[in-house]
Amino acid sequence: MSLVTTHVLDTATGKPAAGIAVRFEGQDGSLIAEGATDDDGRIRDLGPDTLDPGVYRLIFDTGSYLGPEAFFPDVTIAFRIVDGTSHHHVPVLLSPFAYSTYRGS
């Protein structure tokens, strides 16, 4: 399993949000990995198996999923990795006018 994984649930429909492009960036904005959510709304392999401690970002292209009138055309989540060898799961709950996130397992 990859060190960083994600999952997007469309809370308006109660279904996984498939096809959302996600960019994984380092603290300096450098690209580490990119992918798209699968039919279950997940990216199970995003990035390397180890990372240096620091602040990282996941950028979700929610505008392509929600449409051209999307209130949130993208969602950027910054998070800190302290242990660069442990798994970090970053889920997103998405609706047309809100989103939330938490550290998953």
Coordinates of all heavy atoms in Angstrom, one line a residue:
M1 N 0.8 -1.2 0.0 CA 0.0 0.0 0.0 C 0.9 1.2 0.0 O 1.9 1.3 0.6 CB -0.9 0.0 1.2 CG -1.8 1.2 1.3 SD -2.8 1.3 2.8 CE -4.0 0.1 2.4
S2 N 0.4 2.2 -0.7 CA 1.1 3.5 -0.8 C 1.1 4.2 0.6 O 0.2 4.0 1.4 CB 0.5 4.4 -1.9 OG 1.1 5.6 -2.0
L3 N 2.0 5.1 0.8 CA 2.1 5.9 2.0 C 0.9 6.8 2.2 O 0.4 7.1 3.2 CB 3.4 6.7 2.1 CG 3.6 7.5 3.3 CD1 3.8 6.5 4.5 CD2 4.8 8.3 3.2
V4 N 0.4 7.4 1.0 CA -0.7 8.4 1.0 C -1.8 7.8 0.1 O -1.6 7.5 -1.0 CB -0.3 9.8 0.6 CG1 -1.4 10.7 0.5 CG2 0.8 10.3 1.5
T5 N -3.0 7.8 0.7 CA -4.2 7.3 -0.1 C -5.3 8.3 0.2 O -5.2 9.1 1.1 CB -4.6 5.9 0.3 OG1 -4.9 5.9 1.7 CG2 -3.6 4.9 0.0
T6 N -6.3 8.3 -0.6 CA -7.5 9.2 -0.5 C -8.7 8.5 -0.9 O -8.7 7.5 -1.6 CB -7.2 10.5 -1.2 OG1 -8.2 11.5 -0.8 CG2 -7.2 10.4 -2.7
H7 N -9.8 9.1 -0.5 CA -11.2 8.6 -0.9 C -12.1 9.9 -0.9 O -12.0 10.7 0.0 CB -11.6 7.7 0.2 CG -13.0 7.1 0.0 ND1 -13.8 6.8 1.0 CD2 -13.7 6.8 -1.1 CE1 -15.0 6.3 0.6 NE2 -14.9 6.3 -0.8
V8 N -12.9 10.0 -2.0 CA -13.9 11.1 -2.1 C -15.3 10.5 -2.1 O -15.6 9.7 -3.0 CB -13.6 12.0 -3.3 CG1 -14.6 13.1 -3.3 CG2 -12.2 12.5 -3.3
L9 N -16.1 11.0 -1.2 CA -17.5 10.6 -1.1 C -18.4 11.8 -1.5 O -18.2 12.8 -0.9 CB -17.9 10.0 0.2 CG -19.4 9.6 0.4 CD1 -19.7 8.4 -0.5 CD2 -19.7 9.3 1.9
D10 N -19.3 11.6 -2.4 CA -20.2 12.7 -2.8 C -21.4 12.6 -1.8 O -22.2 11.7 -1.9 CB -20.7 12.5 -4.3 CG -21.6 13.5 -4.7 OD1 -22.3 14.2 -3.9 OD2 -21.7 13.7 -6.0
T11 N -21.4 13.5 -0.9 CA -22.5 13.4 0.2 C -23.9 13.8 -0.4 O -24.9 13.5 0.3 CB -22.1 14.2 1.4 OG1 -21.9 15.6 1.0 CG2 -20.8 13.7 2.1
A12 N -23.9 14.5 -1.5 CA -25.2 14.8 -2.1 C -25.9 13.6 -2.7 O -27.1 13.5 -2.7 CB -25.0 15.9 -3.1
T13 N -25.1 12.7 -3.2 CA -25.7 11.5 -3.8 C -25.5 10.3 -2.9 O -26.2 9.2 -3.2 CB -25.0 11.2 -5.2 OG1 -23.7 10.9 -5.0 CG2 -25.2 12.4 -6.1
G14 N -24.6 10.4 -2.0 CA -24.3 9.2 -1.1 C -23.5 8.1 -1.8 O -23.4 7.0 -1.4
K15 N -22.8 8.5 -2.9 CA -22.0 7.6 -3.7 C -20.6 8.1 -3.8 O -20.3 9.2 -3.6 CB -22.6 7.5 -5.1 CG -24.0 6.9 -5.1 CD -24.6 6.8 -6.5 CE -26.0 6.2 -6.4 NZ -26.6 6.1 -7.7
P16 N -19.7 7.1 -4.1 CA -18.3 7.5 -4.3 C -18.2 8.5 -5.5 O -19.0 8.4 -6.5 CB -17.6 6.2 -4.7 CG -18.5 5.1 -4.1 CD -19.9 5.7 -4.2
A17 N -17.2 9.4 -5.4 CA -17.0 10.4 -6.5 C -15.9 9.8 -7.4 O -14.7 9.9 -7.0 CB -16.6 11.7 -5.9
A18 N -16.3 9.3 -8.5 CA -15.3 8.7 -9.4 C -14.8 9.7 -10.4 O -15.5 10.6 -10.8 CB -16.0 7.5 -10.2
G19 N -13.5 9.5 -10.8 CA -12.9 10.3 -11.9 C -12.4 11.7 -11.4 O -12.1 12.5 -12.3
I20 N -12.2 11.9 -10.1 CA -11.7 13.2 -9.7 C -10.2 13.2 -9.8 O -9.5 12.3 -9.2 CB -12.1 13.6 -8.3 CG1 -13.6 13.8 -8.3 CG2 -11.4 14.8 -7.8 CD1 -14.2 14.2 -6.9
A21 N -9.6 14.1 -10.5 CA -8.1 14.1 -10.6 C -7.6 14.7 -9.3 O -8.1 15.7 -8.8 CB -7.7 15.0 -11.8
V22 N -6.4 14.1 -8.9 CA -5.8 14.5 -7.6 C -4.3 14.7 -7.9 O -3.7 13.9 -8.5 CB -6.0 13.5 -6.5 CG1 -5.3 14.0 -5.2 CG2 -7.5 13.3 -6.3
R23 N -3.8 15.8 -7.4 CA -2.4 16.1 -7.5 C -1.8 16.1 -6.1 O -2.3 16.7 -5.2 CB -2.2 17.5 -8.2 CG -0.8 17.9 -8.3 CD -0.7 19.3 -9.0 NE 0.6 19.9 -9.0 CZ 1.5 19.7 -9.9 NH1 1.2 19.0 -11.0 NH2 2.7 20.2 -9.8
F24 N -0.7 15.4 -5.9 CA 0.0 15.3 -4.6 C 1.3 16.1 -4.7 O 2.1 15.8 -5.6 CB 0.3 13.8 -4.3 CG 0.9 13.5 -3.0 CD1 0.8 14.4 -1.9 CD2 1.7 12.4 -2.9 CE1 1.4 14.1 -0.7 CE2 2.4 12.1 -1.7 CZ 2.2 13.0 -0.6
E25 N 1.4 17.1 -3.9 CA 2.5 18.0 -4.0 C 3.3 18.1 -2.7 O 2.8 17.9 -1.6 CB 2.1 19.5 -4.3 CG 1.4 19.7 -5.6 CD 1.1 21.2 -5.8 OE1 1.1 22.0 -4.9 OE2 0.7 21.5 -7.0
G26 N 4.6 18.4 -2.9 CA 5.5 18.6 -1.7 C 5.3 20.0 -1.2 O 4.6 20.8 -1.8
Q27 N 6.0 20.3 -0.1 CA 5.9 21.6 0.5 C 6.3 22.7 -0.4 O 5.8 23.8 -0.4 CB 6.8 21.6 1.7 CG 6.7 22.8 2.6 CD 7.3 22.6 4.0 OE1 7.7 21.6 4.3 NE2 7.4 23.7 4.7
D28 N 7.2 22.5 -1.3 CA 7.7 23.5 -2.3 C 6.8 23.5 -3.6 O 7.2 24.3 -4.5 CB 9.1 23.2 -2.7 CG 9.4 21.9 -3.3 OD1 8.4 21.1 -3.5 OD2 10.5 21.6 -3.7
G29 N 5.7 22.8 -3.6 CA 4.9 22.8 -4.8 C 5.3 21.8 -5.8 O 4.6 21.7 -6.9
S30 N 6.3 21.0 -5.6 CA 6.8 20.0 -6.6 C 5.8 18.9 -6.7 O 5.2 18.5 -5.7 CB 8.2 19.5 -6.2 OG 8.1 18.9 -4.9
L31 N 5.6 18.4 -7.8 CA 4.7 17.2 -8.1 C 5.4 16.0 -7.5 O 6.5 15.6 -7.9 CB 4.4 17.1 -9.6 CG 3.6 15.9 -9.9 CD1 2.2 16.0 -9.4 CD2 3.5 15.7 -11.4
I32 N 4.7 15.3 -6.7 CA 5.1 14.0 -6.2 C 4.4 12.8 -6.9 O 5.0 11.9 -7.4 CB 4.9 13.8 -4.7 CG1 5.7 14.9 -3.9 CG2 5.2 12.4 -4.2 CD1 5.4 14.9 -2.4
A33 N 3.1 13.0 -7.1 CA 2.3 12.0 -7.9 C 1.0 12.6 -8.3 O 0.6 13.7 -7.7 CB 2.1 10.8 -7.0
E34 N 0.3 12.0 -9.2 CA -1.0 12.4 -9.5 C -1.8 11.2 -10.0 O -1.2 10.1 -10.3 CB -1.0 13.5 -10.6 CG -0.3 13.2 -11.8 CD -0.1 14.4 -12.7 OE1 -0.8 15.5 -12.5 OE2 0.6 14.4 -13.7
G35 N -3.1 11.3 -9.8 CA -4.0 10.1 -10.2 C -5.4 10.6 -10.2 O -5.7 11.8 -10.2
A36 N -6.3 9.7 -10.4 CA -7.7 10.0 -10.4 C -8.5 8.9 -9.6 O -8.1 7.8 -9.5 CB -8.3 10.0 -11.8
T37 N -9.6 9.4 -8.9 CA -10.3 8.4 -8.1 C -11.0 7.4 -9.0 O -11.4 7.6 -10.1 CB -11.4 9.1 -7.3 OG1 -12.3 9.9 -8.2 CG2 -10.8 10.1 -6.2
D38 N -11.0 6.1 -8.5 CA -11.6 5.0 -9.2 C -13.1 5.0 -9.0 O -13.7 5.9 -8.5 CB -10.9 3.7 -8.8 CG -11.1 3.3 -7.3 OD1 -12.0 3.9 -6.7 OD2 -10.4 2.4 -6.9
D39 N -13.7 3.9 -9.5 CA -15.2 3.8 -9.4 C -15.7 3.8 -7.9 O -16.8 4.1 -7.7 CB -15.7 2.5 -10.1 CG -15.6 2.7 -11.6 OD1 -15.5 3.8 -12.1 OD2 -15.6 1.6 -12.3
D40 N -14.8 3.5 -7.0 CA -15.1 3.5 -5.6 C -14.7 4.8 -4.9 O -14.7 4.9 -3.7 CB -14.4 2.3 -4.9 CG -15.0 2.0 -3.5 OD1 -16.2 2.2 -3.3 OD2 -14.3 1.6 -2.6
G41 N -14.3 5.8 -5.7 CA -13.9 7.1 -5.2 C -12.6 7.1 -4.5 O -12.2 8.1 -3.8
R42 N -11.7 6.1 -4.8 CA -10.5 6.0 -4.1 C -9.3 6.1 -5.0 O -9.3 5.7 -6.2 CB -10.4 4.6 -3.4 CG -11.5 4.4 -2.3 CD -11.4 3.0 -1.7 NE -12.4 2.9 -0.7 CZ -12.4 3.3 0.6 NH1 -11.3 3.8 1.0 NH2 -13.4 3.1 1.4
I43 N -8.2 6.5 -4.4 CA -6.8 6.4 -5.0 C -6.0 5.6 -4.0 O -5.8 6.1 -2.9 CB -6.2 7.7 -5.3 CG1 -7.0 8.5 -6.3 CG2 -4.8 7.4 -5.9 CD1 -6.4 9.8 -6.7
R44 N -5.7 4.4 -4.3 CA -5.1 3.4 -3.4 C -3.5 3.5 -3.5 O -2.8 2.9 -2.7 CB -5.5 2.0 -3.7 CG -7.0 1.8 -3.4 CD -7.4 0.4 -4.0 NE -8.7 -0.1 -3.8 CZ -9.9 0.4 -3.6 NH1 -10.0 1.6 -3.5 NH2 -11.0 -0.3 -3.5
D45 N -3.0 4.2 -4.5 CA -1.6 4.2 -4.7 C -1.2 5.6 -5.2 O -1.3 5.9 -6.4 CB -1.1 3.2 -5.7 CG 0.4 3.1 -5.9 OD1 1.1 3.6 -5.0 OD2 0.8 2.5 -6.9
L46 N -0.8 6.5 -4.2 CA -0.5 7.8 -4.6 C 0.8 8.2 -3.9 O 0.9 8.5 -2.7 CB -1.6 8.8 -4.0 CG -1.6 10.2 -4.5 CD1 -1.7 10.3 -6.0 CD2 -2.7 11.0 -3.9
G47 N 1.9 8.1 -4.7 CA 3.2 8.5 -4.2 C 4.0 7.4 -3.7 O 3.7 6.2 -3.8
P48 N 5.2 7.8 -3.2 CA 6.2 6.8 -2.8 C 5.9 6.1 -1.5 O 4.9 6.4 -0.8 CB 7.5 7.6 -2.6 CG 6.9 9.0 -2.2 CD 5.6 9.1 -3.0
D49 N 6.7 5.1 -1.1 CA 6.5 4.3 0.1 C 7.1 5.0 1.3 O 6.8 4.6 2.5 CB 7.1 2.9 0.0 CG 6.3 2.1 -1.1 OD1 5.1 2.3 -1.2 OD2 7.0 1.2 -1.7
T50 N 7.9 6.0 1.1 CA 8.5 6.8 2.2 C 8.5 8.3 1.8 O 8.7 8.6 0.6 CB 9.9 6.4 2.6 OG1 10.8 6.5 1.5 CG2 9.9 4.9 3.1
L51 N 8.4 9.1 2.8 CA 8.5 10.6 2.6 C 9.2 11.2 3.7 O 9.2 10.8 4.8 CB 7.1 11.2 2.5 CG 6.2 10.8 1.3 CD1 4.8 11.2 1.5 CD2 6.8 11.6 0.0
D52 N 9.9 12.3 3.4 CA 10.5 13.1 4.5 C 9.4 13.8 5.3 O 8.3 14.2 4.8 CB 11.4 14.2 3.9 CG 12.6 13.6 3.2 OD1 13.1 12.5 3.6 OD2 13.1 14.3 2.3
P53 N 9.6 14.0 6.6 CA 8.7 14.7 7.4 C 8.5 16.1 6.8 O 9.4 16.7 6.3 CB 9.3 14.8 8.8 CG 10.2 13.6 8.8 CD 10.7 13.4 7.4
G54 N 7.3 16.6 6.9 CA 7.0 18.0 6.3 C 5.5 18.1 6.0 O 4.7 17.3 6.3
V55 N 5.2 19.3 5.4 CA 3.9 19.6 5.0 C 3.7 19.3 3.5 O 4.6 19.6 2.7 CB 3.6 21.1 5.2 CG1 2.2 21.5 4.7 CG2 3.7 21.4 6.7
Y56 N 2.6 18.6 3.2 CA 2.3 18.2 1.8 C 0.9 18.6 1.5 O 0.1 19.0 2.4 CB 2.4 16.6 1.7 CG 3.8 16.1 1.9 CD1 4.3 15.9 3.2 CD2 4.6 15.9 0.8 CE1 5.6 15.4 3.4 CE2 5.9 15.5 1.0 CZ 6.4 15.3 2.2 OH 7.7 14.8 2.4
R57 N 0.5 18.6 0.2 CA -0.8 19.0 -0.3 C -1.4 18.0 -1.2 O -0.7 17.5 -2.1 CB -0.7 20.4 -1.0 CG -0.6 21.6 -0.1 CD -0.6 22.9 -0.9 NE 0.8 23.2 -1.4 CZ 1.8 23.5 -0.6 NH1 1.7 23.4 0.7 NH2 3.0 23.8 -1.2
L58 N -2.7 17.8 -1.1 CA -3.5 17.1 -2.1 C -4.4 18.2 -2.7 O -5.1 18.9 -2.0 CB -4.3 16.0 -1.4 CG -3.5 14.8 -0.9 CD1 -4.5 13.8 -0.2 CD2 -2.8 14.1 -2.1
I59 N -4.4 18.2 -4.0 CA -5.3 19.2 -4.7 C -6.3 18.4 -5.6 O -5.9 17.6 -6.5 CB -4.4 20.1 -5.6 CG1 -3.4 20.8 -4.7 CG2 -5.4 21.1 -6.3 CD1 -2.4 21.6 -5.5
F60 N -7.5 18.5 -5.3 CA -8.6 17.8 -5.9 C -9.3 18.7 -7.0 O -9.7 19.8 -6.6 CB -9.7 17.3 -4.9 CG -9.1 16.4 -3.8 CD1 -8.4 16.9 -2.7 CD2 -9.4 15.0 -3.9 CE1 -7.9 16.0 -1.8 CE2 -8.9 14.2 -2.9 CZ -8.2 14.7 -1.9
D61 N -9.4 18.2 -8.2 CA -10.0 18.9 -9.2 C -11.6 18.7 -9.1 O -12.1 17.9 -9.9 CB -9.5 18.5 -10.6 CG -10.2 19.3 -11.8 OD1 -10.9 20.2 -11.5 OD2 -10.0 18.8 -12.9
T62 N -12.2 19.3 -8.2 CA -13.6 19.1 -7.9 C -14.5 19.8 -9.0 O -15.6 19.4 -9.2 CB -14.0 19.6 -6.5 OG1 -13.5 20.9 -6.3 CG2 -13.4 18.7 -5.5
G63 N -14.0 20.8 -9.6 CA -14.7 21.5 -10.7 C -15.1 20.6 -11.8 O -16.2 20.7 -12.4
S64 N -14.2 19.7 -12.2 CA -14.5 18.8 -13.3 C -15.6 17.8 -12.9 O -16.4 17.4 -13.8 CB -13.2 18.0 -13.7 OG -12.3 18.9 -14.3
Y65 N -15.6 17.5 -11.7 CA -16.6 16.6 -11.2 C -18.0 17.3 -10.9 O -19.0 16.8 -11.3 CB -16.2 15.9 -9.9 CG -17.2 15.0 -9.3 CD1 -17.4 13.7 -9.7 CD2 -18.0 15.4 -8.2 CE1 -18.3 12.8 -9.2 CE2 -18.9 14.6 -7.6 CZ -19.1 13.3 -8.1 OH -20.0 12.4 -7.6
L66 N -18.0 18.4 -10.3 CA -19.2 19.2 -9.9 C -19.8 20.0 -11.1 O -20.9 20.3 -11.0 CB -18.9 20.1 -8.7 CG -18.6 19.4 -7.4 CD1 -18.1 20.4 -6.4 CD2 -19.8 18.5 -6.9
G67 N -19.0 20.3 -12.1 CA -19.4 21.0 -13.2 C -19.0 22.5 -13.3 O -18.3 23.0 -12.3
P68 N -19.2 23.2 -14.4 CA -18.7 24.5 -14.6 C -19.1 25.6 -13.6 O -18.5 26.6 -13.4 CB -19.1 24.9 -16.0 CG -20.3 24.0 -16.3 CD -20.1 22.8 -15.5
E69 N -20.2 25.3 -12.9 CA -20.7 26.3 -11.9 C -20.3 25.9 -10.5 O -20.9 26.5 -9.5 CB -22.3 26.4 -12.0 CG -22.8 26.9 -13.4 CD -22.3 28.3 -13.7 OE1 -22.3 29.2 -12.8 OE2 -21.9 28.5 -14.8
A70 N -19.4 25.0 -10.3 CA -18.9 24.5 -9.0 C -18.5 25.7 -8.1 O -17.7 26.5 -8.5 CB -17.8 23.5 -9.2
F71 N -19.0 25.7 -6.9 CA -18.6 26.8 -6.0 C -17.2 26.6 -5.5 O -16.4 27.5 -5.4 CB -19.6 26.7 -4.7 CG -19.3 27.8 -3.8 CD1 -19.7 29.1 -4.1 CD2 -18.8 27.6 -2.5 CE1 -19.5 30.1 -3.2 CE2 -18.5 28.6 -1.7 CZ -18.9 29.9 -2.0
F72 N -16.8 25.3 -5.4 CA -15.4 25.0 -5.1 C -14.8 24.3 -6.3 O -14.9 23.1 -6.5 CB -15.3 24.0 -3.9 CG -15.8 24.6 -2.6 CD1 -16.9 24.2 -2.0 CD2 -15.0 25.6 -2.0 CE1 -17.4 24.8 -0.8 CE2 -15.4 26.2 -0.8 CZ -16.6 25.8 -0.2
P73 N -14.1 25.0 -7.2 CA -13.6 24.4 -8.4 C -12.4 23.5 -8.1 O -12.1 22.6 -8.9 CB -13.1 25.6 -9.3 CG -13.0 26.7 -8.3 CD -13.9 26.5 -7.2
D74 N -11.8 23.7 -6.9 CA -10.8 22.7 -6.5 C -10.7 22.8 -5.0 O -11.2 23.7 -4.3 CB -9.4 23.0 -7.0 CG -8.8 24.3 -6.6 OD1 -8.5 24.6 -5.4 OD2 -8.6 25.2 -7.5
V75 N -10.3 21.7 -4.4 CA -10.1 21.6 -2.9 C -8.6 21.2 -2.7 O -8.1 20.3 -3.2 CB -11.0 20.5 -2.4 CG1 -10.7 20.2 -0.9 CG2 -12.5 20.9 -2.5
T76 N -8.0 22.1 -1.9 CA -6.6 21.9 -1.5 C -6.5 21.6 0.0 O -7.0 22.3 0.8 CB -5.8 23.1 -1.8 OG1 -5.8 23.4 -3.2 CG2 -4.3 22.9 -1.4
I77 N -5.9 20.4 0.3 CA -5.8 20.0 1.7 C -4.3 19.9 2.0 O -3.6 19.1 1.4 CB -6.5 18.7 1.9 CG1 -8.0 18.8 1.6 CG2 -6.2 18.2 3.4 CD1 -8.7 17.5 1.6
A78 N -3.9 20.7 2.9 CA -2.5 20.7 3.4 C -2.5 19.8 4.7 O -3.3 20.0 5.5 CB -1.9 22.1 3.7
F79 N -1.5 19.0 4.8 CA -1.4 18.1 6.0 C 0.1 17.8 6.3 O 1.0 17.9 5.4 CB -2.1 16.8 5.8 CG -1.7 16.0 4.6 CD1 -0.8 14.9 4.8 CD2 -2.1 16.3 3.3 CE1 -0.4 14.1 3.7 CE2 -1.6 15.5 2.2 CZ -0.8 14.4 2.4
R80 N 0.4 17.5 7.5 CA 1.7 17.3 8.0 C 2.0 15.8 8.2 O 1.2 15.1 8.8 CB 2.0 18.0 9.3 CG 3.4 17.9 9.8 CD 3.6 18.7 11.1 NE 3.1 20.1 11.0 CZ 3.7 21.1 10.5 NH1 4.9 20.9 9.9 NH2 3.2 22.3 10.5
I81 N 3.1 15.4 7.6 CA 3.6 14.1 7.9 C 4.8 14.2 8.8 O 5.8 14.9 8.6 CB 4.1 13.4 6.5 CG1 2.8 13.1 5.7 CG2 4.9 12.1 6.8 CD1 3.1 12.4 4.4
V82 N 4.6 13.5 10.0 CA 5.7 13.5 11.0 C 6.5 12.2 10.8 O 7.7 12.2 10.8 CB 5.1 13.6 12.4 CG1 6.2 13.4 13.5 CG2 4.3 14.9 12.6
D83 N 5.8 11.1 10.6 CA 6.4 9.8 10.5 C 6.3 9.4 9.0 O 5.3 9.0 8.5 CB 5.8 8.7 11.3 CG 6.3 7.3 11.1 OD1 7.2 7.1 10.2 OD2 5.9 6.4 11.8
G84 N 7.4 9.6 8.3 CA 7.5 9.4 6.8 C 7.4 7.9 6.4 O 7.5 7.6 5.2
T85 N 7.1 7.0 7.3 CA 7.0 5.6 6.9 C 5.6 5.0 7.3 O 5.3 3.9 6.9 CB 8.1 4.7 7.6 OG1 7.9 4.8 9.1 CG2 9.5 5.2 7.3
S86 N 4.8 5.8 7.9 CA 3.4 5.3 8.2 C 2.4 5.8 7.2 O 2.6 6.7 6.5 CB 3.0 5.8 9.6 OG 2.8 7.2 9.6
H87 N 1.3 5.0 7.1 CA 0.3 5.3 6.1 C -0.6 6.5 6.6 O -0.9 6.7 7.7 CB -0.6 4.0 6.1 CG -1.8 4.2 5.1 ND1 -3.1 4.1 5.6 CD2 -1.9 4.5 3.8 CE1 -3.9 4.3 4.5 NE2 -3.2 4.6 3.5
H88 N -0.9 7.3 5.6 CA -1.7 8.5 5.8 C -2.9 8.5 4.8 O -2.7 8.5 3.6 CB -0.9 9.8 5.6 CG 0.2 10.0 6.6 ND1 1.3 9.3 6.6 CD2 0.2 10.8 7.7 CE1 2.1 9.6 7.6 NE2 1.4 10.5 8.3
H89 N -4.1 8.4 5.3 CA -5.3 8.3 4.5 C -6.0 9.7 4.7 O -6.3 10.0 5.8 CB -6.2 7.2 4.9 CG -7.4 7.0 4.0 ND1 -7.3 6.7 2.6 CD2 -8.7 7.1 4.3 CE1 -8.5 6.7 2.1 NE2 -9.4 6.9 3.1
V90 N -6.3 10.4 3.6 CA -6.9 11.7 3.6 C -8.2 11.6 2.9 O -8.3 11.8 1.6 CB -6.0 12.8 3.1 CG1 -6.6 14.1 3.2 CG2 -4.6 12.7 3.7
P91 N -9.4 11.3 3.5 CA -10.7 11.3 2.9 C -11.3 12.7 2.7 O -11.0 13.6 3.5 CB -11.5 10.4 3.8 CG -10.7 10.2 5.0 CD -9.4 10.9 4.9
V92 N -12.2 12.8 1.7 CA -12.9 14.1 1.5 C -14.4 13.7 1.4 O -14.7 12.8 0.6 CB -12.4 14.8 0.2 CG1 -13.3 16.0 -0.1 CG2 -11.0 15.2 0.3
L93 N -15.2 14.5 2.1 CA -16.6 14.4 2.0 C -17.0 15.6 1.2 O -16.8 16.8 1.6 CB -17.3 14.4 3.3 CG -16.9 13.2 4.3 CD1 -17.5 13.4 5.6 CD2 -17.2 11.9 3.6
L94 N -17.6 15.5 0.0 CA -17.9 16.6 -0.9 C -19.3 16.7 -1.2 O -20.1 15.7 -1.4 CB -17.1 16.2 -2.2 CG -17.2 17.2 -3.4 CD1 -16.6 18.5 -3.0 CD2 -16.6 16.6 -4.6
S95 N -19.8 18.0 -1.3 CA -21.1 18.3 -1.8 C -21.0 19.6 -2.6 O -19.9 20.2 -2.6 CB -22.1 18.5 -0.6 OG -21.9 19.7 0.1
P96 N -22.1 20.0 -3.3 CA -21.9 21.2 -4.1 C -21.5 22.4 -3.4 O -20.8 23.3 -4.0 CB -23.3 21.3 -4.7 CG -23.9 20.0 -4.7 CD -23.4 19.3 -3.4
F97 N -21.8 22.6 -2.1 CA -21.5 23.8 -1.5 C -20.7 23.6 -0.2 O -20.6 24.6 0.7 CB -22.7 24.7 -1.2 CG -23.4 25.1 -2.5 CD1 -24.5 24.4 -2.9 CD2 -22.9 26.1 -3.2 CE1 -25.1 24.8 -4.1 CE2 -23.5 26.5 -4.4 CZ -24.6 25.8 -4.8
A98 N -20.1 22.5 0.0 CA -19.3 22.2 1.2 C -18.4 21.0 1.0 O -18.6 20.2 0.1 CB -20.2 21.9 2.4
Y99 N -17.4 21.0 1.8 CA -16.5 19.8 1.9 C -15.9 19.7 3.3 O -15.8 20.7 4.0 CB -15.4 19.8 0.8 CG -14.3 20.9 1.0 CD1 -13.2 20.6 1.7 CD2 -14.5 22.1 0.4 CE1 -12.2 21.6 1.9 CE2 -13.5 23.1 0.5 CZ -12.4 22.8 1.3 OH -11.4 23.7 1.4
S100 N -15.5 18.5 3.7 CA -14.8 18.3 4.9 C -13.8 17.2 4.7 O -13.9 16.4 3.8 CB -15.8 18.0 6.1 OG -16.5 16.8 5.8
T101 N -12.9 17.1 5.7 CA -11.9 16.1 5.6 C -11.4 15.7 7.0 O -11.8 16.5 8.0 CB -10.6 16.6 4.8 OG1 -9.7 15.5 4.6 CG2 -10.0 17.8 5.4
Y102 N -10.7 14.7 7.1 CA -10.2 14.2 8.4 C -9.1 13.2 8.1 O -8.9 12.8 7.0 CB -11.3 13.6 9.2 CG -12.0 12.4 8.5 CD1 -11.6 11.1 8.7 CD2 -13.0 12.7 7.6 CE1 -12.2 10.1 8.1 CE2 -13.7 11.6 7.0 CZ -13.3 10.3 7.2 OH -13.9 9.3 6.5
R103 N -8.3 12.9 9.2 CA -7.3 11.8 9.0 C -8.0 10.5 9.1 O -8.5 10.1 10.2 CB -6.1 11.9 10.0 CG -5.1 10.8 9.7 CD -3.9 10.9 10.4 NE -3.0 9.8 10.0 CZ -1.8 9.6 10.4 NH1 -1.3 10.4 11.3 NH2 -1.1 8.6 10.0
G104 N -8.0 9.7 8.1 CA -8.6 8.4 8.1 C -7.6 7.3 8.5 O -6.5 7.6 8.9
S105 N -8.1 6.1 8.3 CA -7.2 5.0 8.7 C -7.1 4.1 7.5 O -7.7 4.1 6.5 CB -7.8 4.2 9.8 OG -9.1 3.8 9.5

